[in-house]
Amino acid sequence: WKDVHAEKQASPYMTHMLPGQTVQRVRFVPYEDLLGIGHSGGFQSIIVPGSGEPNFDSFTANPFETKRQRQETEVKALLDKVAPELITLDPNAILQVGRRAPKGAAAEEAPAEGGAADGKDKMKKRGRSTSMKRFLKKNSNIVHEKREMVKKRLEKEKKQHERVRKGLPEPAPDVLD
């Protein structure tokens, strides 16, 4: 029905047939010419020309703003309420020159790169702290015998290569080798 209150209507503005289905819910999309119809057979959306509200709500600045934008707007509004006299810098603090700590002191205060300051595993957020990754992080500091043997062998081969390059004779085999 169009202009229901202005004049007597002879026929509906628009009809849409849903044969054999029961309409359960009808909702308009705000500010657009779309109508969502939920029925026993599923969902349909149809275009209803002229049904969208041509004028946005004048009390809202942006009717399409996201949750993040709304939060930022609220924070800005709260900061605008704070008196400018309260937001000042201490002039004495600005005049002082900060001194850097010696390199040794800074290293003692900073936690190890692999973990937290107290030595416990630091729990990360958003799926990064899977049980497998925690297990691997715990076991990363364990010294493996095979790894040590490979390191010794590579070191030995490197020394032998240096001797050959310099033209030095090979040392006599050691009893422990």
Side-chain angles (χ1 to χ4, degrees), residues 2-98:
K2 186 176 180 183
D3 296 327
V4 177
H5 301 292
E7 57 189 56
K8 186 174 179 180
Q9 302 296 313
S11 64
Y13 173 68
M14 184 175 188
T15 59
H16 183 71
M17 302 301 289
L18 297 170
Q21 296 172 350
T22 309
V23 175
Q24 296 167 343
R25 187 172 240 185
V26 177
R27 294 281 185 253
F28 281 97
V29 177
Y31 310 112
E32 303 210 11
D33 293 343
L34 294 175
L35 174 68
I37 303 170
H39 51 81
S40 58
F43 177 82
Q44 281 187 337
S45 58
I46 62 170
I47 297 174
V48 182
S51 66
E53 188 177 339
N55 301 321
F56 294 124
D57 186 9
S58 62
F59 293 112
T60 58
N62 183 4
F64 301 110
E65 69 186 349
T66 63
K67 181 179 178 184
R68 179 82 174 169
Q69 289 173 331
R70 184 179 44 80
Q71 289 173 345
E72 288 179 5
T73 306
E74 288 176 8
V75 169
K76 286 179 183 176
L78 289 173
L79 286 175
D80 288 342
K81 287 182 180 181
V82 176
E85 294 83 30
L86 297 177
I87 307 173
T88 58
L89 295 173
D90 183 16
N92 295 329
I94 294 174
L95 297 175
Q96 294 176 353
V97 177

Side-chain angles (χ1 to χ4, degrees), residues 71-142:
Q71 289 173 345
E72 288 179 5
T73 306
E74 288 176 8
V75 169
K76 286 179 183 176
L78 289 173
L79 286 175
D80 288 342
K81 287 182 180 181
V82 176
E85 294 83 30
L86 297 177
I87 307 173
T88 58
L89 295 173
D90 183 16
N92 295 329
I94 294 174
L95 297 175
Q96 294 176 353
V97 177
R99 298 188 185 262
R100 293 185 179 183
K103 289 182 181 178
E108 292 172 3
E109 292 176 9
E113 197 171 302
D118 59 356
K120 294 183 180 177
D121 278 341
K122 185 173 154 183
M123 296 297 288
K124 295 180 182 179
K125 305 290 183 223
R126 295 190 186 146
R128 294 191 189 107
S129 62
T130 61
S131 58
M132 185 64 181
K133 287 191 179 183
R134 282 196 307 260
F135 174 76
L136 291 174
K137 189 174 181 181
K138 266 186 201 175
N139 292 336
S140 66
N141 292 332
I142 296 175

Side-chain angles (χ1 to χ4, degrees), residues 144-157:
H144 297 283
E145 294 174 14
K146 189 174 182 180
R147 186 182 297 162
E148 289 297 319
M149 289 177 61
V150 170
K151 279 185 182 180
K152 285 181 183 178
R153 190 185 81 221
L154 288 174
E155 192 175 306
K156 194 179 206 181
E157 288 176 3

